[in-house]
Amino acid sequence: DRRTFRNEDLVLAVTTDIDPKVWDESRYEAFLDELCGSREYQKDSLRMTLRYLLGGKYASLRELAKENFDNNDELQQRYGSWSGMEKHLQLPGQLSCSIDQATGTGKSYVLYGLAAILMAEGGVDRMLVLCPSNTIEAGLLGKFKELAANAALRDALPRNAKIKAPKIINASETIVDGSICVENYHAILETVKSSIRDSLKGKGARVAVLNDEAHHVANAGGAVAKKWKEFLLNPEYGFPIVVGVSGTCYVDDEYFADVVSRYSLRQAIEQRFVKKVEYVAEMPETNNADEKWQLVYNRHQAWKKKLKTRKIRPLTIVVTRDIRACEQVAEELKDFLVEWEKLSPKQAEEKVLPVSSASKHQVNVAKLKLVDSPASKVEWIVSVSMLSEGWDVKNVFQIVPHEERAFNSKLLIAQVLGRGLRRPDTWQGEDPMVTVFNHDAWSGRIKHLVSE
């Protein structure tokens, strides 16, 4: 029987015994207040990570992990031996670490804070922020430009900051000193003509790399993700600092071994930064598709009624395991709506949006950005599980896994759950809630994930 460990017991502690002549975090308190507002967990996470990166106490992740292994019984039991733990470290020779921050709680602020402070302090001259998709890249670029242009933020930096106004670019421009380059990680592959490789060769020692959605690197099964990791380790660049941020710090079902700061989903729910999660384990034992849809449909209608006064049109996401199932389920759902809502096929088509990596669904991927807008008629999104990051949709109130295999690891469950957690803007009153439908077979797994 494998022991289960609480993730918070596996987080690496960073010493607080730092010489203020080496790193004085108090100089950045005004900046953190301005950047994070009331989101104290973001400030905690930034303080912890910067103490590790700039405090001069650790030369590498290996040193931090060894110190923790020697002092933490949970880590000793979890890994069995120091060499057992060392094997789990992704980038042991660098000052590398991961920040675990629940989806929907503003990871981009933490990424920007790290970049701005590392550069202001003169720890590095340039930043490279890598993310796994164009959707996320566009979102981060927009957010970073807005923050870099914010005069109050700039003024809150210490007077003698080395770089006060970072230049925000993507890899179509040369990465010069003082710039933060945000780029989809495909741009670092050898085949891509991008300026990243050329402008960093031999200069990596003064560059820090931040990885958004860092579980992509850790779960490097595919050739592309493997290349991402090789790039980070490449001695031609010699990057000293690599920090990953993710809301799902899992390699399949194993928690990362290099997390220095954790803000869990449970904390985010309790502190009301995201929606509450409700489980419904009453999927009927039936092979009749209509009966299942009836149950999901009734819930959807109940949400519509409840949210009408708030002028919110709720969305239900149905998660399938592959493209074929995605298409089949979307058709099933349209037929069901034609019958139940007495719609024309065209009207049903407007309400159901199938989303996958299939070329015929590309136009729907673009429509995803607009599903929260009053003009959209979409109420149902049928998606393949891999489309799991980068939509910041706020009006999701129901998530339906179409079959157990659509949710086959903690990583996937956490990612999909993340799509329904964001609270609608200007929400007042009782807490909003997202309903997750269950197969009894794995209700325990989701419960475990949220309770942990």
Side-chain angles (χ1 to χ4, degrees):
D1 181 45
R2 284 185 55 193
R3 228 192 110 190
T4 52
F5 293 90
R6 290 168 55 220
N7 288 350
E8 44 268 39
D9 295 336
L10 304 177
V11 173
L12 304 180
V14 177
T15 181
T16 50
D17 177 25
I18 302 287
D19 178 352
K21 288 200 225 25
V22 177
W23 164 239
D24 179 4
E25 63 183 36
S26 66
R27 297 172 62 229
Y28 290 92
E29 284 302 307
F31 178 80
L32 292 185
D33 285 341
E34 191 61 50
L35 176 68
C36 309
S38 63
R39 297 181 299 272
E40 289 300 324
Y41 60 90
Q42 293 176 355
K43 299 178 196 172
D44 291 342
S45 164
L46 283 161
R47 288 186 198 109
M48 192 86 68
T49 311
L50 289 158
R51 201 186 315 141
Y52 163 59
L53 297 176
L54 297 172
K57 287 284 182 169
Y58 306 98
S60 66
L61 170 62
R62 191 180 282 109
E63 284 185 16
L64 174 72
K66 179 75 169 80
E67 175 179 283
N68 276 268
F69 183 82
D70 292 343
N71 297 322
N72 180 335
D73 296 347
E74 296 284 331
L75 289 176
Q76 290 166 21
Q77 290 188 32
R78 161 77 181 79
Y79 295 108
S81 65
W82 162 241
S83 65
M85 179 173 185
E86 196 177 14
K87 275 206 285 284
H88 282 82
L89 302 175
Q90 294 282 340
L91 306 166
Q94 286 148 293
L95 267 176
S96 72
C97 64
S98 298
I99 296 172
D100 179 359
Q101 192 182 308
T103 302
T105 59
K107 292 199 298 288
S108 51
Y109 288 91
V110 171
L111 285 166
Y112 184 78
L114 277 174
I117 293 175
L118 280 170
M119 290 167 77
E121 191 62 14
V124 293
D125 303 323
R126 326 161 187 206
M127 303 292 305
L128 181 55
V129 182
L130 296 173
C131 56
S133 72
N134 290 334
T135 320
I136 296 175
E137 181 194 338
L140 277 179
L141 265 172
K143 186 90 210 148
F144 277 25
K145 282 184 169 156
E146 182 191 316
L147 292 169
N150 179 330
L153 257 187
R154 277 202 308 273
D155 293 345
L157 284 168
R159 271 215 307 279
N160 59 349
K162 305 271 191 303
I163 294 165
K164 276 208 157 176
K167 186 178 174 212
I168 312 297
I169 59 170
N170 69 5
S172 60
E173 295 180 58
T174 306
I175 308 173
V176 293
D177 285 357
S179 58
I180 301 175
C181 175
V182 179
E183 193 46 84
N184 174 347
Y185 76 77
H186 294 85
I188 63 182
L189 308 181
E190 259 115 14
T191 47
V192 180
K193 290 226 180 322
S194 111
S195 70
I196 288 188
R197 288 179 172 272
D198 304 336
S199 53
L200 297 182
K201 274 219 170 83
K203 304 205 175 108
R206 300 287 301 155
V207 179
V209 183
L210 305 181
N211 294 313
D212 190 15
E213 307 296 357
H215 49 272
H216 284 263
V217 200
N219 289 274
V224 174
K226 273 206 181 71
K227 285 205 170 123
W228 186 348
K229 196 166 163 185
E230 282 162 16
F231 172 76
L232 299 174
L233 286 164
N234 189 333
E236 280 193 353
Y237 307 115
F239 300 121
I241 291 176
V242 180
V243 179
V245 180
S246 171
T248 49
C249 287
Y250 293 100
V251 177
D252 295 327
D253 285 343
E254 299 284 347
Y255 194 61
F256 282 11
D258 66 352
V259 174
V260 294
S261 161
R262 169 176 163 84
Y263 183 65
S264 68
L265 181 51
R266 189 216 298 242
Q267 290 167 292
I269 291 171
E270 280 170 2
Q271 295 175 7
R272 313 176 84 166
F273 285 106
V274 296
K275 293 187 190 114
K276 286 182 167 167
V277 180
E278 164 197 43
Y279 303 102
V280 179
E282 56 188 58
M283 272 302 208
E285 283 301 308
T286 171
N287 293 326
N288 178 345
D290 270 12
E291 276 180 48
K292 281 189 180 159
W293 283 128
Q294 183 60 58
L295 199 72
V296 173
Y297 178 79
N298 291 348
R299 282 266 159 162
H300 182 83
Q301 291 305 103
W303 272 121
K304 261 177 100 164
K305 208 163 135 190
K306 204 168 171 180
L307 296 167
K308 200 172 175 181
T309 53
R310 293 180 181 267
K311 298 196 169 40
I312 290 175
R313 177 179 27 80
L315 295 162
T316 290
I317 297 182
V318 184
V319 186
T320 63
R321 70 161 194 267
D322 56 29
I323 293 172
R324 221 180 75 210
C326 174
E327 298 191 317
Q328 188 188 330
V329 169
E331 288 310 311
E332 235 176 63
L333 184 52
K334 284 180 216 165
D335 293 345
F336 179 86
L337 291 176
V338 165
E339 192 182 330
W340 276 87
E341 294 189 354
K342 306 283 180 274
L343 303 177
S344 71
K346 185 176 183 308
Q347 288 169 313
E349 183 104 7
E350 287 178 331
K351 288 194 172 195
V352 179
L353 190 70
V355 183
S356 76
S357 59
S359 50
K360 65 169 176 193
H361 291 153
Q362 281 313 293
V363 42
N364 294 353
V365 175
K367 285 185 191 161
L368 261 184
K369 292 195 187 82
L370 308 170
V371 290
D372 274 346
S373 80
S376 168
K377 295 202 167 102
V378 174
E379 291 182 24
W380 303 81
I381 296 168
V382 185
S383 127
V384 176
S385 47
M386 58 197 180
L387 267 157
S388 42
E389 300 126 347
W391 335 331
D392 292 350
V393 177
K394 301 197 168 123
N395 293 348
V396 173
F397 285 84
Q398 190 167 236
I399 296 174
V400 186
H402 183 246
E403 56 210 317
E404 188 181 347
R405 270 174 300 181
F407 269 17
N408 58 7
S409 72
K410 283 187 187 174
L411 174 61
L412 256 183
I413 294 171
Q415 285 178 322
V416 174
L417 211 54
R419 303 287 54 87
L421 288 173
R422 290 173 195 276
R423 291 168 75 112
D425 297 331
T426 68
W427 183 280
Q428 298 288 321
E430 62 172 316
D431 290 332
M433 190 177 281
V434 59
T435 304
V436 181
F437 268 94
N438 261 334
H439 290 76
D440 288 339
W442 46 271
S443 58
R445 289 171 64 172
I446 285 203
K447 263 212 160 44
H448 170 68
L449 188 83
V450 172
S451 63
E452 93 180 359

